[in-house]
Amino acid sequence: MLKKSLHILGRFPPPIDGQSLATQSLSNLLQQEYEIKQLSTTLPHRSMLPSGLSGFTRTVGHYLGLKHRIQTRLSDGHIVVWPSISGQSSGHWRDILTVIPCLTNQQPIIAVVHWGNFSRIFTDWKTAPTARRLVRRLNHIVVLSDELANQVSKWIPSHKLHVIPNYVLPLASKEQILTKRQDYSSSKHLRVLFLSHIMRQKGCYDLLQGLAIAQKLGISIKADFAGRWNQDGDEKHFHSKVQQLGLSNDVTVHGPIDDRSTVAELHRRAHAFVLPSVLSHEAQPLAIIEALSTATPLIITKRPVFEALVNVEQGATLVPSHDPNAIALALKSLTDDTVWLDQSKRAHHHYETIFSPDAVRNQWIKLIESVHHEDRP
């Protein structure tokens, strides 16, 4: 039996970042059921699409160069899944000018929102009128959590709005999780992992200060920091801060890692995953889901968007924004064997229930098949 065809239009790796990984993961997830036609819109040599006027000019120019290719590929009329719809003003105009015109008049399109501040395009006077027209053109819009759905429900009709979380393949087998737990019990150190863009808004400096405080509380810690630098000079400044806090012997700075097996190994050996992010457009970081898949207790910022992803009943400790003391106390709590094991079990159960491939795939198939049904004469 021939598979139905499905276009996935968006940013695929390389480079590797949260959104490109999410797009590739979705494509891999659905290829068992559909003939996937990938169309990458990635801007080369950038880990993230740039913002501001110069970024707008560059990205629109890049997309205009792709416009003929996009139009040709989408001319068959098959359903389009679009995981790169933007929540920024510049990105919104890029979408309006370069993607929407490439669709046939009646072509079904499912947009996936990876922005925690997507509601902004409906309230900004520069984008509000076109944002409403965009919603009318889209058949369905997928957001990653109930919290994000609540933020946009005023502007997106309920029959078009769906909640389907991100998904990642599990990075640890049951045997590897057992090995992690045995390693925790025998280790002299609490192994901490920060994996994200290494930038102030992601909380990396709050974590460094928290590590220094934790050491003063008598906790032996070994920490790994992995991720891309946001701006020139960030790497030098970060290393300087590590040295200033007296953490040079206890912190390993990996920088950007494109090898997914290395990422998996960092998650598997971590005893705690910490992401005290205050980034305004944070939605559903894949690294948090990866940590859940490896049964790693989490320390994350107490924010609605994160609590919708994982809460205290699901293996997380929630700390206030910009509070290194709270981070240190959370790390101290994880030195208790009973507390750590309980949170480890809760984290893995939460992954298997909500974020596993089968759980997410079933939701996507249900949505796509409903679109096929809508499209029948």
Side-chain angles (χ1 to χ4, degrees), residues 168-173 176 260 263-264 267-268 290-291 293-294 351:
V168 295
L169 283 171
L171 298 186
S173 65
Q176 288 168 326
R260 296 300 294 164
V263 170
H267 274 294
R268 285 195 289 263
E290 290 173 343
S293 82
T294 57
Y351 169 79

Side-chain angles (χ1 to χ4, degrees), residues 135 138-143 149-150 152-163 367 370 374:
V135 167
L138 300 173
N139 296 71
H140 298 278
I141 300 172
V142 172
V143 296
N150 291 336
V152 297
S153 60
K154 180 179 178 180
W155 300 282
I156 303 176
S158 59
H159 69 277
K160 287 191 174 186
L161 185 59
H162 307 269
V163 176
L367 174 57
S370 73
E374 293 166 2

Side-chain angles (χ1 to χ4, degrees), residues 103-239:
L103 301 167
T104 62
N105 289 336
Q106 302 300 322
Q107 189 160 23
I109 181 164
I110 304 170
V112 187
V113 177
H114 288 279
W115 294 81
N117 61 348
F118 188 67
S119 60
R120 187 177 299 175
I121 66 170
F122 298 102
T123 58
D124 188 333
W125 67 270
K126 298 187 298 295
T127 56
T130 48
R132 288 169 172 79
R133 287 200 292 272
L134 179 62
V135 167
R136 288 196 292 270
R137 175 59 186 89
L138 300 173
N139 296 71
H140 298 278
I141 300 172
V142 172
V143 296
L144 304 177
S145 71
D146 290 331
E147 166 62 23
L148 297 175
N150 291 336
Q151 292 179 19
V152 297
S153 60
K154 180 179 178 180
W155 300 282
I156 303 176
S158 59
H159 69 277
K160 287 191 174 186
L161 185 59
H162 307 269
V163 176
I164 304 179
N166 273 325
Y167 118 96
V168 295
L169 283 171
L171 298 186
S173 65
K174 291 181 179 179
E175 291 76 16
Q176 288 168 326
I177 290 173
L178 179 60
T179 298
K180 174 201 280 276
R181 290 170 177 162
Q182 291 171 341
D183 175 74
Y184 168 84
S185 297
S186 61
S187 178
K188 297 178 180 178
H189 313 288
L190 185 70
R191 300 201 65 93
V192 175
L193 175 62
F194 175 97
L195 198 158
S196 186
H197 285 266
I198 304 180
M199 54 191 289
R200 188 173 298 277
Q201 296 96 318
K202 288 282 190 174
C204 59
Y205 290 100
D206 293 328
L207 174 55
L208 282 181
Q209 293 180 52
L211 295 176
I213 295 169
Q215 286 192 333
K216 292 178 180 178
L217 295 175
I219 305 169
S220 179
I221 289 176
K222 295 295 181 182
D224 292 291
F225 285 76
R228 297 185 183 277
W229 306 103
N230 193 47
Q231 296 177 351
D232 294 338
D234 282 358
E235 183 176 4
K236 181 178 179 180
H237 184 264
F238 189 79
H239 281 281

